[in-house]
Amino acid sequence: MLGVIAAALGGPEVLQVTELPDPEAQPGQVVVRIRAVCVHPADVAVTTGNVPRGPIPPPFLPGWDIAGEVASVGPDTTDFQVGDRVVGMIPFYLTRGAPGGYAEFVAADVDWLAPLPDELDFAHAATVPLNAQTAHQGMALLSASLLSAGSRILVTGASGGVGGFAAQFAAQEGYRVLAQASDGDEEWVRGLGAQEVISRSADLAKVGPVAAAFDAVPVGEAAAAAVENRGVVVTTRPTPAIDPARAVRQDLQLIQLDHKLLADLVVQVAAGTLRTRVAATMPLTEAAEAHRRVLAGGLRGKIVLTLG
């Protein structure tokens, strides 16, 4: 099969198109014929070695989020049948590239996958798993602080994948969402349910106080400055400690795969009650160029690599 490996640690130039052995489904697995795989900043980071638990020794396959069709089924596996449309998240924090999603076929545990409704295309489906689950789980941490309905909440990076879903979940919870948007993305972010939209260049210390912040970028101290004392900040990466005298709770949200949650989120996207967007689709063989575009920034949506 065709795959794209990180042959060394470094920039996009380390990605190489190569032939790899076809995978075989083991018990509890299916082989997925990949139709779409999302390109995340996490994929770009892993090729440079900038990942928790230290760099992954090359060569390895990048790629978390996949969508496609079941090509074969392992022994005693009954959850899916050949031909089923599926979407899933490879728990890269566990597999560390063995497997990754940048390939024609992936042997996936059935617990990584959810059924893909016919109403949702492969490319948009591939933008959902990592981003939407991270946002949903992070909002659960934030809501655990017993915020009252109507509380004002800051969401940074609301133009992006995690921040965009977080803004939607916050609005669904009845919070008043103050969302930070990239220039030109204000209308999109308002459409996610944000009552207030501010520029990326806004001084966040002057837009508060807010009861809580979902710092999806994260921007760290700037977001914390907007939060009232005894508030809460949820971030997607470690950030500097907040002055203990302020009694602000800091929570770090790291993704935990939950295929039942994923199935529910995918149904919501298919029904149009959750929104996501694709900036561009590119063939898998152009993965290096896709990484260059992610590094350049300014994307309105995700880049998705496609096959077939």
Side-chain angles (χ1 to χ4, degrees):
M1 70 172 182
L2 195 70
V4 176
I5 62 168
L9 296 179
E13 70 281 353
V14 305
L15 294 177
Q16 294 183 5
V17 179
T18 188
E19 285 289 333
L20 299 169
D22 289 346
E24 294 186 6
Q26 302 302 310
Q29 291 187 326
V30 299
V31 170
V32 179
R33 181 188 300 275
I34 305 300
R35 299 300 188 186
V37 54
C38 192
V39 179
H40 291 296
D43 298 320
V44 176
V46 75
T47 64
T48 67
N50 184 23
V51 291
R53 297 170 51 199
I56 300 172
F60 59 85
L61 286 161
W64 291 68
D65 289 354
I66 57 174
E69 301 147 340
V70 174
S72 63
V73 176
D76 301 322
T77 300
T78 59
D79 299 70
F80 297 102
Q81 297 180 346
V82 172
D84 285 351
R85 286 162 44 92
V86 293
V87 58
M89 190 192 92
I90 298 170
F92 203 88
Y93 53 89
L94 298 176
T95 71
R96 292 172 66 84
Y102 284 22
E104 285 187 288
F105 297 95
V106 169
D109 292 2
V110 294
D111 286 347
W112 301 353
L113 304 172
L116 175 57
D118 291 340
E119 296 81 7
L120 186 58
D121 65 86
F122 292 122
H124 283 83
T127 70
V128 175
L130 176 59
N131 289 333
Q133 287 185 100
T134 299
H136 192 278
Q137 292 167 356
M139 280 302 305
L141 286 174
L142 188 148
S143 296
S145 61
L146 303 179
L147 297 173
S148 59
S151 293
R152 192 164 176 247
I153 292 178
L154 169 67
V155 177
T156 69
S159 296
V162 174
F165 280 115
Q168 293 176 80
F169 294 137
Q172 290 174 3
E173 290 288 329
Y175 301 130
R176 183 172 180 83
V177 181
L178 168 64
Q180 199 176 34
S182 300
D183 292 342
D185 253 352
E186 294 86 357
E187 183 177 353
W188 167 261
V189 172
R190 287 191 186 94
L192 303 179
Q195 288 85 1
E196 304 172 73
V197 179
I198 57 174
S199 165
R200 287 180 61 184
S201 61
D203 183 350
L204 297 182
K206 296 180 179 179
V207 303
V210 296
F214 191 115
D215 190 10
V217 175
V219 297
E221 293 177 353
V227 177
E228 64 192 16
N229 291 345
R230 294 178 296 281
V232 58
V233 176
V234 174
T235 63
T236 55
R237 289 198 304 275
T239 54
I242 301 171
D243 181 357
R246 297 188 56 206
V248 173
R249 197 183 85 208
Q250 286 181 276
D251 286 324
L252 174 63
Q253 170 54 39
L254 297 178
I255 182 68
Q256 292 295 318
L257 175 59
D258 180 342
H259 75 282
K260 292 182 179 179
L261 171 61
L262 174 59
D264 178 63
L265 295 171
V266 170
V267 168
Q268 292 185 54
V269 175
T273 55
L274 276 178
R275 301 176 66 189
T276 186
R277 58 181 178 171
V278 173
T281 59
M282 304 172 65
L284 177 67
T285 53
E286 296 182 19
E289 177 58 25
H291 278 220
R292 292 186 187 98
R293 293 192 189 185
V294 171
L295 284 167
L299 296 170
R300 303 198 190 283
K302 306 298 289 188
I303 291 184
V304 178
L305 301 174
T306 59
L307 298 95

